[in-house]
Amino acid sequence: MYVAVKGGERAIDNAHRLLAEARRGDSQTPELSLAQIDQQLALAVDRVMTEGSVYDRELAALAIKQARGDLIEAIFLLRAYRTTLPRLAVSSPIDTGRMTVRRRISATFKDLPGGQVLGPTFDYTHRLLDFALAAGGGGTEPVATQPGDAAPAEGMPKVASLLDAEGLIEQEAPDAEDASVGDLTREPLEFPADRDLRLQNLARGDEGFLLALAYSTQRGFGRNHPFAGEIRMGEVEIEIVPPELGFPVVIGEVTLTECEMVNQFKGSKTEPPQFTRGYGLACGEAERKAMAMALVDRSLRAEELGEEATAPAQDEEFVLMHSDNVEASGFLQHLKLPHYVDFQAELVMVRQMRAQAGAAGDTTDE
Amino acid sequence: MSEAAAVQSTGYNFAYLDEQTKRMIRRAILKAIAVPGYQVPFASREMPLPFGWGTGGIQVTAAIIGADDRLKVIDQGADDTTNAVSIRRFFARTAGVATTTRTTDATLIQTRHRVPETPLGPHQILVYQVPIPEPLRWLEAREAETRRMHGLADYGVMHVKLYEDIAQHGRIATGYDYPVQVGQRYIMAPSPIPKFDNPKMDRCPALQLFGAGREKRIYAVPPHTPVKSLDFEDHPFSVETWSKRCSLCGAGDSYLDEVIMDDTGRRMFVCSDTDYCAERRAAGHRGEGDGA
């Protein structure tokens, strides 16, 4: 059979060989192991897991290595892998109230049951380049930990529940046990979208995009007066209930960052003034993402709360249709594909219109 | 060496997608065929190729391709453009199907931006890659609103836009992705094919399927369905014409690409449909610039 093996095919092969070489870099430099990426570029792994929608540190590390550190490319690799995976079970809802907390802060109360736990944070570091790190040392002294430093969750009630007891914050009734949760990777997103789908979309959404949107609300484009009610990070158990057993079985533990924003609400005709909530959740240590997500989640509730929706961050279709960096990056970069047929159509059109305009100009001028 | 003989990748289902997903896509395709020109939402998957690079077409092809199909993939009318090569390889690798560049030999043709010059037959299916499936998108940005407009056949805004073009430019200033009305009902985006190709869609004996992966929509034009390019009685629809013929095969009836030859602006015009051009040359036709 005749097969077109022309320039295109050879060029693609060669380009991929060049890519493999560039990925490895100078062979005198030791190759990165997945464990090194997992351990020392842990926050990159966290971001790729979050936006790639797969909790697997090793696969995320592999994706980062394969993508030469391009995190959006790594997210794409992980997504393309994820889409082929079968669904074995749906877990029970996680309970972040039972998190083994490594970090927990609240900006709304000076002190609270369980206390403020800073944990591993960039906050309050002075952003001075640490040349000791460049020399291969520094920051390696083990931290003396007290038993119980990773705090037992029971002694750390959620801030929202403290406000809840006083009726100051909107009630959040859990869905019925058997209520199904939407999945936008299995059903196309339609508008208006329910909050479960919005949160799923935001959780998968690009951190930079959410950050900019959240920031825009802080600067007045749809301001919603947020307070960081609580941010907690730590380990949560994942349980499933196998139908043949009928009771929950723990299948593993994941690290999560959760942010509950507390937002002012003036009240409406039907609701007294009270605080409202915005929610953010991300895999691993991803505080900026979780906070941005919580602000945008609250913004997207404008209509539900009877607020005037005027800003981009309050516009459901605008936010949800443009948050996915795998979609956005693909469509942006498709401009590199040949468009010469369309361009030819434009050329023909513009030439015709110019010829016509020229002819018309000639007759009127002279 | 044939691509079909290329080593099949292990670990993935035939044509990459799992059977559940294929069934979901086939249901959407059947609905699309039942309601010509209507955009059916479907749960588009992440493919191993980027969104915007033909994932909608690839998913449609993957859902309908069989082991005995012969696949042709073109981009800009050409079989040898890089993305066409990449997609053809993808199916040769994951489905092990036979591939061809000959329009008449293909049972399934996936295309980006062109309809082949050689008329298609009832045994063939043409799958279009679609970037923006919504013909009203540039007039109304919101999906909720455009769906309503389609539901009510509320197309006044489109006619106003075309009228404004004529008032401003003396003609409808759209060269590609020129809107059509399918079966006297839905206004449809034909994908960014040049309007030159629009008449080929009308009452075409082949099934035409459209896949938009990123936008998660599938739509269809069933065989022999009337497809009308929008126009006005006093400004009838017309297609591009060239004063030149193809300099390789001498064709005067095909869509021509303009190739810049040197830095003094010398140009050559050649068929955008590489198979059409090659077939004509094989039959002995020659253009003025052949061999140059």
Side-chain angles (χ1 to χ4, degrees), chain A residues 1 9 13 79-80 83 185-186 204 315 317 327 330-331 334 338-342 344-345 351-352, chain B residues 16 43 45-47 51-53 76 80 89 99 112-113 142-143 171 192 214 216 255-258:
Chain A
M1 190 205 315
E9 197 148 343
D13 282 338
R79 288 267 195 95
T83 197
T185 67
R186 298 282 133 166
R204 289 159 57 89
D315 184 328
E317 191 170 333
E327 291 176 5
F331 197 49
H334 107 284
H339 282 78
Y340 50 77
V341 163
D342 295 349
Q344 183 65 34
R351 279 179 187 144
Q352 277 174 348
Chain B
Y16 182 75
R45 297 285 188 261
E46 274 105 352
M47 300 300 286
F51 284 118
W53 296 53
Q76 315 292 303
D80 60 351
R89 278 180 161 190
T99 59
R112 174 168 174 267
H113 294 193
R142 277 161 210 290
E143 179 69 12
R171 68 181 67 237
R214 191 179 41 77
K216 303 172 181 62
Y255 191 86
L256 299 179
D257 284 333
E258 186 172 332

Side-chain angles (χ1 to χ4, degrees), chain B residues 84-289:
Chain B
V85 170
S86 164
I87 292 171
R88 188 166 56 243
R89 278 180 161 190
F90 176 73
F91 283 109
R93 192 170 157 196
T94 59
V97 293
T99 59
T100 181
T101 59
R102 295 190 55 179
T103 304
T104 47
D105 285 352
T107 56
L108 192 54
I109 302 172
Q110 180 169 329
T111 182
R112 174 168 174 267
H113 294 193
R114 275 313 309 276
V115 178
E117 308 288 3
T118 311
L120 302 178
H123 60 292
Q124 294 179 305
I125 299 177
L126 184 59
V127 177
Y128 295 76
Q129 300 170 200
V130 181
I132 303 280
E134 179 49 72
L136 306 171
R137 182 60 69 235
W138 312 128
L139 307 170
E140 168 55 58
R142 277 161 210 290
E143 179 69 12
E145 184 58 18
T146 51
R147 285 185 77 76
R148 189 196 64 79
M149 291 160 78
H150 283 294
L152 302 174
D154 178 5
Y155 293 139
V157 57
M158 176 61 91
H159 295 290
V160 169
K161 190 256 171 198
L162 298 179
Y163 171 77
E164 282 178 350
D165 266 13
I166 290 170
Q168 233 179 327
H169 310 295
R171 68 181 67 237
I172 294 171
T174 299
Y176 59 92
D177 212 349
Y178 188 103
V180 295
Q181 188 153 33
V182 180
Q184 286 116 45
R185 177 58 178 85
Y186 286 98
I187 287 188
M188 183 189 94
S191 88
I193 57 173
K195 64 179 179 174
F196 181 90
D197 286 339
N198 277 20
K200 297 177 192 160
M201 305 177 80
D202 184 33
R203 294 179 172 83
C204 176
L207 170 63
Q208 301 175 76
L209 299 174
F210 299 78
R214 191 179 41 77
E215 297 281 335
K216 303 172 181 62
R217 296 290 183 273
I218 286 172
Y219 52 102
V221 175
H224 308 292
T225 306
V227 175
K228 186 183 178 345
S229 301
L230 300 182
D231 62 358
F232 297 102
E233 261 174 44
D234 51 345
H235 280 274
F237 174 79
S238 65
V239 300
E240 295 92 340
T241 53
W242 285 261
S243 53
K244 303 275 193 323
R245 305 173 82 83
C246 171
S247 51
L248 297 181
C249 76
D253 60 351
S254 70
Y255 191 86
L256 299 179
D257 284 333
E258 186 172 332
V259 182
I260 297 176
M261 304 292 289
D262 55 30
D263 55 8
T264 63
R266 259 193 339 124
R267 283 162 162 76
M268 156 176 153
F269 289 84
V270 292
C271 291
S272 121
D273 185 334
T274 49
D275 172 60
Y276 184 71
C277 197
E279 294 287 320
R280 277 180 55 85
R281 275 178 283 148
H285 297 282
R286 287 288 178 274
E288 283 171 5

Side-chain angles (χ1 to χ4, degrees), chain A residues 199-212:
Chain A
L199 287 169
Q200 185 190 10
N201 178 288
L202 297 179
R204 289 159 57 89
D206 182 74
E207 180 174 319
F209 179 70
L210 296 191
L211 172 65

